[in-house]
Amino acid sequence: MTLYLVSLSVVGMALLLAGMKVMEAALASWTGDRMALAVARSTSTPLRGFALGTASSALLQSGTAVTLLTISLVNSGILPFARCFGILLGTNVGTCLTTELMSLELHRYGLPLLGAGTGLWLLSLMSGEWRALPPLPRRIHDACRFGGAVLAGFALLLAGFALLRTMGPLLQQQGTFAQLMDMASQQPALGVLGGAVLTALIHSGAAVIGMSMGFVSADAMSPDTAVAIVLGANVGTCATGLLVSLGGSRGGKLVALSQIAFNLGGVLLFYPLRHELLAAAAYIAPGNAAAQIAHAQTIFNVACSLLALPLAYLFKPPAKPAMPAAA
């Protein structure tokens, strides 16, 4: 039984991660260099950077990808360090889209979405490389190619979520798992630590939160423990940016450290208020445990970002040098 549960857990988590990575890669390829140019040009104020960070993270389905892009732009000197704060705050809000979508009980449509996504992708191949059909206009071809991959990735994510939901009754029969859940309930700091470590290891906070949502919906984990894991996941998601920044410039390192400071500060602020956070989420979605965890994640990130946004105005980018007067 233990081996079976471990296998289900690994497969479910692998599907979550595979779906996330397929969506991320497809959306990144679809937008190309336009996202980097938009980030560099649309950050004149922290509020505009916040809006851009939110939109780009939601579009790419990865706050980590936007953070890494920001670090690379700072390293290359395209983006001043002082302009990155709004973007970092926005990424925390934009990443909530994935967990909110997972809370909509869409897992029953996973197979049709996978079929539709695969069909669109094959259509792009048949009209492109295979030349079995007349060529499509470039925009339609790209929409079929990358849009189909996004749909297929989302279907994989839903399949992993559905698989994790089926583990609830089996996990409840395992004494060791019950003991771990009791320990985490009595010491919520362990849930925060576990969420941070697991997120750092697999480089996906959305996958860890999705796993928690699956366990909560199957009554295998208490909502309080899941909220603690959500808080920890927001710290663990900073690990990738920190690792990537180590080989870059001083500005890139400061971007990564700033993200850690923002997210850790938010966790320290909301850790004593986690019950109130869960109560607010339960008020929005009564009777839907998975949706409550997704809403708790959203409320936490929106509140932290809005509280920290005024601080971003304390950092002003360097003024542009004045043009010499004409002779």
Side-chain angles (χ1 to χ4, degrees):
M1 178 63 75
T2 301
L3 181 60
Y4 178 68
L5 286 171
V6 171
S7 300
L8 280 181
S9 178
V10 170
V11 173
M13 203 60 161
L15 288 172
L16 282 177
L17 282 172
M20 289 291 300
K21 294 304 180 183
V22 168
M23 294 174 68
E24 179 182 337
L27 288 168
S29 298
W30 202 351
T31 58
D33 295 333
R34 289 171 292 177
M35 185 62 67
L37 292 175
V39 170
R41 293 175 179 174
S42 305
T43 55
S44 56
T45 66
L47 184 59
R48 293 185 66 181
F50 174 77
L52 181 66
T54 300
S56 56
S57 297
L59 177 63
L60 293 178
Q61 292 290 293
S62 175
T64 300
V66 178
T67 300
L68 297 181
L69 174 60
T70 303
I71 291 174
S72 66
L73 291 174
V74 172
N75 283 335
S76 61
I78 297 176
L79 183 69
F81 167 70
R83 288 189 176 182
C84 74
F85 295 105
I87 300 174
L88 295 180
L89 296 176
T91 58
N92 289 341
V93 177
T95 52
C96 298
L97 177 64
T98 303
T99 50
E100 289 290 350
L101 288 174
M102 292 173 65
S103 72
L104 296 178
E105 302 289 335
L106 297 176
H107 54 274
R108 63 178 67 94
Y109 304 113
L111 190 58
L113 286 174
L114 180 61
T118 305
L120 288 173
W121 184 73
L122 288 175
L123 177 62
S124 71
L125 284 179
M126 294 177 69
S127 63
E129 291 86 339
W130 293 353
R131 298 182 180 178
L133 294 174
L136 295 171
R138 185 64 184 179
R139 288 188 176 181
I140 298 179
H141 175 273
D142 289 348
C144 291
R145 171 68 57 88
F146 301 116
V150 170
L151 278 180
F154 186 55
L156 290 176
L157 186 149
L158 293 177
F161 181 61
L163 185 60
L164 290 172
R165 284 169 60 102
T166 65
M167 296 175 58
L170 299 175
L171 287 172
Q172 290 174 335
Q173 300 173 10
Q174 298 297 307
T176 303
F177 184 81
Q179 291 175 1
L180 290 174
M181 290 300 99
D182 289 339
M183 188 181 303
S185 298
Q186 296 173 7
Q187 303 181 32
L190 294 178
V192 176
L193 180 61
V197 171
L198 186 56
T199 301
L201 288 175
I202 68 173
H203 303 286
S204 177
V208 172
I209 296 170
M211 178 191 68
S212 302
M213 291 167 57
F215 287 165
V216 167
S217 65
D219 295 326
M221 179 183 292
S222 70
D224 288 334
T225 301
V227 169
I229 291 175
V230 166
L231 296 179
N234 281 273
V235 177
T237 194
C238 303
T240 305
L242 180 62
L243 290 174
V244 171
S245 71
L246 294 179
S249 66
R250 179 174 178 269
K253 294 183 179 70
L254 288 175
V255 173
L257 292 175
S258 298
Q259 185 190 33
I260 294 174
F262 285 144
N263 288 12
L264 183 59
V267 170
L268 293 176
L269 177 63
F270 273 88
Y271 180 77
L273 303 174
R274 59 189 182 281
H275 298 301
E276 288 76 9
L277 181 62
L278 181 59
Y283 179 79
I284 299 173
N288 189 335
Q292 290 172 15
I293 304 307
H295 296 338
Q297 156 83 345
T298 301
I299 294 171
F300 166 76
N301 279 317
V302 170
C304 289
S305 295
L306 292 180
L307 287 173
L309 186 59
L311 299 177
Y313 282 87
L314 299 177
F315 301 90
K316 296 181 180 180
K320 293 182 180 180
M323 296 296 293

